[in-house]
Amino acid sequence: MDDVSQISEFGKILIFLITGIVMILMLFGVNRILAPRNPNTEKLSTYECGEEPTGNAWLPFNSRFYVIALVFLLFDVEMVFVFPWATVFGNKEIIQLDPRWGWVSLTEMFIFLGILILGLAYVWVKGDLDWIKPNPTVPDSGTNIPQSLYDKINLQQSAFKVKEFSSEASATLQSTATATATSTATPPKPMFKPSFKKPANDA
């Protein structure tokens, strides 16, 4: 009788997930039992990179933070590919089979690193690694609208005042709402009556 696997591939994945969850819960339980617990106000306070936060957290971040973070993430992820290359390049069995393999892999890695260095140089020259650019570029729309007109519009918009609430206005709004509700309660009559003719050839 042939040996047939009694567990499908999905069953193996389920066993793997259950084992992982149980192991994590066991580690958390052991940590809860053995780890010392001495909470105080300093330990329970929030911090950022070891420093006490100052000001309100609901502040708009500078967009340059995201640009620098994305550039760092891009080069950081790309450098991860160097490690598997190093393990394969250091395999003496492959190089003994064909010595050209070592030179090919070395050349490929230099090409890969060269592309990364070119990208880094491009970002550096564009000034995207500087938190504060020395020469900020002011966008120009090419229109001849004077600045005084913008100031006048901003002044008008800033002088906007919210009307005070009054019971008379609320009563007027409520009566208008009830009138529209009653008018929409009765559906309007159709403008025409559809008529369907039966084809002559149908029995």
Side-chain angles (χ1 to χ4, degrees):
M1 184 174 178
D2 296 334
D3 293 329
V4 179
S5 178
Q6 299 295 325
I7 301 175
S8 65
E9 296 298 325
F10 291 106
K12 294 175 184 177
I13 294 173
L14 180 62
I15 291 173
F16 179 77
L17 289 175
I18 292 173
T19 306
I21 292 171
V22 169
M23 292 297 293
I24 290 173
L25 292 176
M26 285 177 57
L27 288 174
F28 275 116
V30 171
N31 183 31
R32 182 85 175 182
I33 294 170
L34 299 179
R37 297 176 61 193
N38 298 317
N40 53 35
T41 55
E42 188 173 357
K43 285 184 179 180
L44 297 177
S45 64
T46 57
Y47 67 92
E48 292 183 18
C49 300
E51 297 182 3
E52 295 182 1
T54 57
N56 190 5
W58 296 98
L59 293 175
F61 283 97
N62 192 341
S63 61
R64 304 206 46 74
F65 171 78
Y66 299 105
V67 173
I68 293 175
L70 285 174
V71 169
F72 167 75
L73 186 62
L74 175 66
F75 288 101
D76 193 33
V77 170
E78 293 294 335
M79 288 304 294
V80 169
F81 293 110
V82 176
F83 293 102
W85 168 84
T87 57
V88 174
F89 181 70
N91 193 345
K92 295 179 181 179
E93 297 176 358
I94 298 176
I95 296 176
Q96 285 176 359
L97 290 175
D98 191 357
R100 293 176 297 178
W101 169 254
W103 290 106
V104 170
S105 59
L106 185 65
T107 306
E108 287 179 350
M109 183 47 61
F110 272 115
I111 293 172
F112 176 73
L113 292 177
I115 294 171
L116 287 182
I117 291 170
L118 281 176
L120 181 61
Y122 175 78
V123 173
W124 196 347
V125 169
K126 293 289 285 184
D128 288 333
L129 297 179
D130 298 329
W131 184 258
I132 299 174
K133 290 190 175 182
N135 298 321
T137 57
V138 180
D140 186 16
S141 61
T143 58
N144 297 323
I145 300 174
Q147 184 65 30
S148 59
L149 184 59
Y150 287 111
D151 296 337
K152 182 179 178 182
I153 293 172
N154 290 333
L155 186 62
Q156 290 176 355
Q157 293 293 329
S158 63
F160 177 77
K161 292 183 180 179
V162 180
K163 292 182 180 179
E164 295 183 1
F165 177 77
S166 63
S167 59
E168 296 176 359
S170 65
T172 306
L173 288 174
Q174 189 173 5
S175 61
T176 307
T178 53
T180 54
T182 53
S183 63
T184 56
T186 57
K189 294 181 179 180
M191 298 294 293
F192 66 93
K193 185 176 182 182
S195 60
F196 300 99
K197 294 182 179 181
K198 187 175 182 181
N201 58 355
D202 290 347

